[in-house]
Amino acid sequence: MSAPRSAIYLDANAGAPLHPRVVEALQSCLAQSDLLLANPSSIHAHGRKAKRLLAEARESIAASFGATTDPEQLVFTSSGTEANQLAIRSLLEPRLDRGEPVHWITTPVEHDSVLKMVDWVKERGGSVSFLPVDSAGAPIVEAMDTLWTPQTALVSVVWVNNETGVITPGLQTLARQVRARGAALHIDAAQAWGKLPIDLAQIQASLVTFSAHKIGGLAGTGILWVGRGTSIHAALKGKQEKGRRAGTENLLGIFAAGVAATQVDPISYAARIAPTRDRLEAAIRARIPGAQMNGVTGDRVAGTCNLSFEGVEGDGMVMALDLKGYSLSSGSACASGVLEPSHVLMAMGKSRAQAMAAIRISLARELSDEVCDAFVEDLAQTTSRLQSAVANRASLQSGEVQL
Amino acid sequence: MIKQEKENKRVLVAMSGGVDSSVAAVLLKNQGYDVIGVHMQLWDHADANEERFGGRCCSLIDSNDARRVCDKIDVPYYVINTQEVFKEKVVDYFVHEYLRSRTPNPCAECNNAIKFNYLFQKADELGCKWVATGHYAQVTQDAFSNVARLMKAVDPQKDQTYFLFGLKQPALQRTLMPLGGLPKIMVRKLAMEFGLTIAQKPDSQEICFIGDEGYKKFIEDRTASTLRPMGVIRTADGTVIGEHDGLFRYTIGQRKGLQLEVEEPEKYFVTGFDTTARALIVGPETDLFKKDLKASNMNWIREVDGMRAQLCKARIRSRHEEASCRVTLFENDRVYVEFDEPQRAITPGQALVLYDGNEVLGGGYIESVGQA
C-alpha cells in the first residue's frame, strides 16, 4: 500500500537523509567513464587514485572535528557500533587478558552498542559502574569522583543522547580529570556530529566515535578518532588503517562521508531546525493535553523531540503514524523491529509504561507550517484512536457487541 | 464517503511466516483488501540455540519470512512485541494447568487471549476494520442480524475449529479466515503459484514455545520442585504398584513411561490423579471409558436457549472423532455433557467443543469426568 503523498521523514537520528551534495558527488563519481574504484592499497595508478580519494575524505572529515585535527588520527570502521566497541576493547581487553582488575565507568543512557559491552566486561572479570543521570537524562559527570577506583581505566560517556537529544554537560572538565588520573575518556559523539560545534583539540578526550549516516553520508561508515598516546587493540588484524582496523576500505562510504563532512554546519542547523521543533512542541502541548515531553528540562540539540502519550504504546503510535505517512521511531528497536521499553527513559526515572509509550521525532530539515500543523492534527487523532482501542479491547472481552 | 469505504477494506493479517497465513495475506490483497501484515513476537527464543529454534514459530527467521511475503505484495508489515501478554495468558496458564494435574490447551488460550483479543486492539490502533488469520475455519455472517457463525473448514484433516471455540461475537464479526474454503493441498499450490519462497516450508506441529527439550523440562525449569512433588502410583482399589516423579509428567490415557512393579505393566494406563495424596492412579484400559463430563467457562459463539438441553456432537481433544451427546446448561457458564457412548480418556483441562453439523456452537474447558 502506498501512502497518499510521499511519506514525511521524521527519523533523522536513526539515519539522516542523504545530503543533496552527497547524492550529487556520488552520481558524478559513478558517472566517470574510467571509474574503477580500485583497492587503495595497490601501488599502480588506479590504486593511487583510490588512495587519494581516501586521503581527501579523511582530511575533510578531520577538518569537521576542528581545524587542528590530524587526519591520521581517524580510524574508519563499519559503523558507530564498531567504533564504540573498538574503543572500549582497546582500553580494557589487554588488561583483562592479563588478568588485571579493570574498572569501567559509563552511563545508563548510552547507545546499545556501548551497553552491550557491560556484560562483556563483567564476563571477563572486570567491573562496571554507572554515572547517575538527572531527570532530563543527562549524565552527572561530577559524580565520577565517587565512582573512581584505582583500577578505573576508561570512562565512556555519550555526548548527545540519540533518543532525547539531551546534551551531556561538562565533557571538557571530565576529560581533564580523567586524563589527570591516568585513565582514558571515550566519548560517543555519533549524534553530536553536525548538531553541535566540535573541536576535538579543545576537549582532549582519548577516543571519540562518529557515524557518517547521522550527517547525511552512507550507512556503513563509522569513525573512531584516536588521541595521541592511545593504542588501539585491533579486532581485525591486517595492514589497513595502520594496523588498527584491517579490511579493504569502504571507499564509496568514506568518500560520501568526506563530502557530507564538508557540509556540516551546526550553527545553521540549529538556526533552521529549532523554530520547527519549537513550533511542533508548542502545537502538541496545545492540541494534546496528555502529551509528555521527555528531556525538555535539559540542554538539547535542535532537532530531537521525545514524547509520551498516556495509555498508549509507542509501537502502536509508530505503526499508525506510518500508515498516515509519517516515518518516526519509538524506543530502541531490536533486529526484528520489536519495541522494548526505552532504557534511556527508564534511567530518567520514568515508569515502564511511560518508557513503552515514547516516540521520537527527529528532524534533519525544517518543516513547512502546513506540514507541521497537519502532523500535529494526525498525531492528536492517532493518540485518541489508540486510547479508544484499549477501551474497545475491554468490551471485546465482555462479549458485548458494538456496531 | 470514498475514504469510508477504503477504511472498511483495511485488514490486519496475523502472519506467522508460515504457508497458511502468507497465502491468506496474498488472497486478501488479490481480493482488493487493504492488507497490513503483522507478526507477533510471542516468545523470546534469544537464549535458546539459534540452530535448534531456527524456522520455528516466533523465531526471527519466521518474522523475516513474513516480511518477505509483504515485500512481495507491497503492503506494510510490522512486528509487535506480544511477549509479556503471551507469557501471562498462555505460558503461565500452561505451566499452572500441568501443576494442577490438568492437560492444557495453549493454542486455544492463545486464540482467546492473544489473536482474538490483544490483536484486535492493534487492529483498532491501525484503523483496521478486519482481522484475518490463516486458520482453517469459516466465518459466515447473517446479512440482517449481523450475527456471525463459526463453521468447520472444508478440509476435515486441517479443520482448526477445535481451537477457536472461545471466539466472541464482536471479534468474530470482524474476522476473515480466507483459507476455510480451501483444501490444504490447494493452499500449497497457491503458495507456489504466487511465487512465495515459503511454499515448501513444513507445517508447524508442536507447541511453539516448547523446544526439543519437551514440556516436562520446560516446566521443571520454571517451577520450584515443591510444586511438583513425587508420590506413589496406585490402582483404583489402593494397591501401590510404583512411584512417580511428579504428577505433571502424566496425562490421562498415557501408557508409556510408567515404572510399575507388576506383571504385564503394558496393561496399565493413567486413569486419574489423587491430588490430595499426590498419587497417580492407573488401571486397565476399560477404566478410561466414561460417559459424562462437566465443563466450565463455556463460550457460545451465538446465543443458545439456556432452558433447553442441546442435542449435538462434541469433541474432547483435537484428534477426537466427534461424538453425539446431550448438553445441559447451568448458571455461571457451566455445562453437563452426557455422551451416547462412553468416550476414551476424557481429560480435565482439555477443551470441550460442541458442533451442530458444520457449525461450532461453542466450547469450554473440561473440569471433571464421571458422576463424581
Side-chain angles (χ1 to χ4, degrees):
Chain A
M1 189 198 71
S2 54
R5 51 170 161 69
S6 75
I8 291 164
Y9 192 69
L10 304 170
D11 203 15
N13 285 12
L18 285 179
H19 195 284
R21 290 292 98 71
V22 172
V23 177
E24 284 169 22
L26 282 171
Q27 278 169 342
S28 58
C29 172
L30 294 172
Q32 291 170 51
S33 56
D34 59 342
L35 178 75
L36 207 140
L37 294 179
N39 190 324
S41 298
S42 300
I43 293 167
H44 46 61
H46 289 102
R48 279 199 306 281
K49 192 176 168 193
K51 192 139 198 151
R52 181 176 165 184
L53 218 57
L54 198 61
E56 285 170 357
R58 198 186 292 275
E59 286 159 13
S60 308
I61 294 166
S64 80
F65 300 155
T68 57
T69 306
D70 180 355
E72 293 305 314
Q73 288 178 288
L74 306 186
V75 178
F76 289 114
T77 67
S78 67
S79 56
T81 293
E82 189 192 335
N84 271 336
Q85 299 195 355
L86 183 62
I88 295 162
R89 290 176 68 155
S90 291
L91 263 295
L92 303 182
E93 196 163 24
R95 287 167 226 228
L96 290 167
D97 285 350
R98 290 196 297 269
E100 293 173 16
V102 173
H103 180 235
W104 175 36
I105 297 174
T106 184
T107 85
V109 293
E110 296 302 304
H111 186 263
D112 203 41
S113 58
V114 171
L115 292 179
K116 278 281 181 289
M117 296 304 282
V118 170
D119 284 342
W120 183 90
V121 169
K122 287 180 176 171
E123 279 160 17
R124 281 157 187 78
S127 59
V128 184
S129 303
F130 295 93
L131 287 170
V133 301
D134 64 21
S135 62
I140 302 168
V141 298
E142 292 77 15
M144 190 196 66
D145 280 343
T146 60
L147 302 176
W148 193 270
T149 75
Q151 286 79 41
T152 305
L154 177 69
V155 179
S156 295
V157 181
V158 66
W159 190 343
V160 172
N161 190 277
N162 59 316
E163 291 186 29
T164 60
V166 169
I167 302 165
T168 303
L171 285 180
Q172 223 168 331
T173 318
L174 181 69
R176 197 160 54 239
Q177 288 171 348
V178 171
R179 203 171 50 253
R181 296 176 188 209
L185 176 65
H186 160 223
I187 296 173
D188 177 0
Q191 294 290 351
W193 197 15
K195 301 187 183 91
L196 291 177
I198 294 175
D199 190 341
L200 295 181
Q202 285 179 5
I203 296 177
Q204 301 235 328
S206 293
L207 296 150
V208 186
T209 297
F210 300 94
S211 179
H213 69 288
K214 308 299 184 190
I215 62 160
L218 295 170
T221 317
I223 300 148
L224 183 63
W225 174 86
V226 184
R228 301 222 184 282
T230 305
S231 56
I232 290 299
H233 186 71
L236 303 176
K237 317 289 183 197
K239 286 197 281 289
Q240 292 87 355
E241 298 296 285
K242 298 203 278 303
R244 297 179 294 190
R245 203 286 190 180
T248 304
E249 296 84 350
N250 169 17
L251 199 54
L252 267 192
I254 294 167
F255 168 70
V259 177
T262 63
Q263 302 301 311
V264 160
D265 185 350
I267 306 297
S268 94
Y269 167 81
R272 282 187 298 113
I273 303 296
T276 291
R277 197 261 318 263
D278 295 344
R279 185 189 172 93
L280 261 181
E281 291 190 346
I284 291 168
R285 276 203 179 87
R287 180 71 179 78
I288 314 170
Q292 280 186 29
M293 311 252 164
N294 301 312
V296 286
T297 53
D299 196 10
R300 291 186 297 161
V301 294
T304 311
C305 172
N306 191 301
L307 302 161
S308 303
F309 301 94
E310 213 175 306
V312 303
E313 285 175 1
D315 65 346
M317 288 291 285
V318 168
M319 294 169 199
L321 286 166
D322 177 41
L323 294 174
K324 285 183 181 279
Y326 301 100
S327 301
L328 44 77
S329 285
S330 67
S332 32
C334 88
S336 60
V338 160
L339 179 77
E340 279 157 14
S342 155
H343 66 274
V344 175
L345 296 192
M346 295 287 274
M348 287 159 65
K350 306 280 181 190
S351 70
R352 191 181 154 79
Q354 286 170 322
M356 290 289 276
I359 61 168
R360 177 188 67 188
I361 299 160
S362 52
L363 307 163
R365 298 185 187 133
E366 56 271 52
L367 303 175
S368 73
D369 289 353
E370 293 74 40
V371 169
C372 210
D373 295 345
F375 170 69
V376 173
E377 189 53 36
D378 282 334
L379 189 64
Q381 287 176 9
T382 305
T383 310
S384 58
R385 176 196 276 172
L386 262 70
Q387 283 160 345
S388 56
V390 176
N392 208 13
R393 182 175 162 211
S395 72
L396 206 64
Q397 189 72 44
S398 71
E400 284 166 32
V401 181
Q402 293 193 330
L403 286 169
Chain B
M1 190 63 201
I2 289 164
K3 189 174 188 325
Q4 187 66 30
E5 274 171 25
K6 194 167 158 28
E7 285 276 308
N8 282 350
K9 292 291 260 185
R10 189 179 277 185
V11 55
L12 183 160
V13 184
M15 296 183 72
S16 66
V19 179
D20 295 336
S21 52
S22 298
V23 169
V26 182
L27 286 173
L28 289 169
K29 163 92 178 179
N30 292 348
Q31 287 167 24
Y33 282 91
D34 184 2
V35 170
I36 295 166
V38 169
H39 178 82
M40 291 186 287
Q41 191 170 50
L42 298 170
W43 189 244
D44 184 5
H45 287 299
D47 297 338
N49 183 307
E50 192 66 29
E51 283 300 312
R52 203 149 45 98
F53 280 99
R56 269 186 187 279
C57 178
C58 326
S59 76
L60 203 54
I61 295 171
D62 290 322
S63 154
N64 287 338
D65 284 344
R67 184 185 298 279
R68 296 299 289 146
V69 171
C70 288
D71 287 346
K72 177 134 197 152
I73 59 174
D74 194 24
V75 301
Y77 173 75
Y78 306 110
V79 180
I80 60 174
N81 186 349
T82 332
Q83 290 174 21
E84 224 162 291
V85 58
F86 184 75
K87 185 187 175 298
E88 180 196 331
K89 301 284 188 186
V90 180
V91 178
D92 288 354
Y93 146 85
F94 175 83
V95 172
H96 189 247
E97 286 287 273
Y98 268 116
L99 294 181
R100 292 171 68 201
S101 303
R102 290 157 59 104
T103 304
N105 189 335
C107 300
E109 215 36 44
C110 179
N111 285 331
N112 293 346
I114 314 286
K115 294 200 186 93
F116 296 94
N117 187 284
Y118 182 74
L119 200 56
F120 274 75
Q121 179 189 326
K122 293 291 148 190
D124 287 338
E125 290 180 6
L126 299 179
C128 297
K129 179 178 180 195
W130 303 100
V131 169
T133 67
H135 282 118
Y136 285 86
Q138 304 184 82
V139 184
T140 63
Q141 194 166 356
D142 186 284
F144 295 104
S145 67
N146 274 329
V147 172
R149 297 177 184 215
L150 180 64
M151 314 294 288
K152 286 181 193 165
V154 297
D155 186 339
Q157 290 303 309
K158 294 301 295 183
D159 175 55
Q160 289 173 319
T161 49
Y162 180 75
F163 301 98
L164 296 167
F165 67 87
L167 264 70
K168 303 200 185 303
Q169 276 294 323
L172 196 60
Q173 289 176 12
R174 296 172 57 190
T175 297
L176 302 174
M177 294 179 175
L179 303 191
L182 299 171
K184 174 80 189 195
I185 187 161
M186 181 61 96
V187 172
R188 286 230 179 249
K189 260 191 197 144
L190 285 172
M192 294 284 280
E193 219 166 274
F194 296 148
L196 305 181
T197 49
I198 44 79
Q200 303 293 346
K201 199 169 168 178
D203 290 357
S204 58
Q205 298 289 348
E206 305 297 322
I207 298 166
C208 70
F209 54 91
I210 303 288
D212 295 340
E213 58 183 19
Y215 86 89
K216 292 167 195 163
K217 179 81 167 49
F218 184 88
I219 288 169
E220 279 171 356
D221 288 349
R222 282 162 182 79
T223 53
S225 57
T226 48
L227 291 173
R228 36 186 172 82
M230 293 181 261
V232 298
I233 304 180
R234 65 168 175 84
T235 58
D237 62 13
T239 317
V240 173
I241 55 170
E243 286 176 353
H244 69 80
D245 43 6
L247 293 177
F248 73 100
R249 298 171 160 276
Y250 305 91
T251 185
I252 306 280
Q254 180 178 339
R255 176 162 57 169
K256 285 180 190 157
L258 298 172
Q259 306 290 328
L260 301 178
E261 294 139 18
V262 288
E263 283 174 30
E264 299 187 290
E266 70 279 3
K267 289 199 171 163
Y268 287 83
F269 293 79
V270 173
T271 58
F273 304 92
D274 179 346
T275 49
T276 315
R278 298 161 179 177
L280 183 68
I281 306 169
V282 295
E285 189 166 19
T286 49
D287 284 7
L288 287 174
F289 287 86
K290 297 279 166 60
K291 231 182 150 179
D292 57 349
L293 64 85
K294 283 178 186 153
S296 68
N297 287 309
M298 283 298 293
N299 175 60
W300 298 97
I301 302 282
R302 59 190 179 99
E303 225 170 302
V304 291
D305 180 0
M307 301 304 288
R308 235 186 46 192
Q310 300 283 319
L311 294 174
C312 58
K313 296 199 168 182
R315 278 162 81 184
I316 52 166
R317 72 180 130 272
S318 64
R319 290 277 156 231
H320 177 240
E321 186 148 340
E322 58 190 38
S324 296
C325 62
R326 177 189 170 88
V327 181
T328 314
L329 281 65
F330 292 94
E331 296 284 296
N332 300 326
D333 302 327
R334 300 177 85 87
V335 292
Y336 172 72
V337 179
E338 193 175 12
F339 290 97
D340 294 356
E341 301 294 330
Q343 300 298 310
R344 189 184 187 280
I346 300 173
T347 306
Q350 288 285 289
L352 164 84
V353 182
L354 304 176
Y355 294 89
D356 178 7
N358 284 327
E359 183 177 4
V360 182
L361 297 176
Y365 288 107
I366 298 170
E367 289 297 327
S368 60
V369 187
Q371 292 288 1

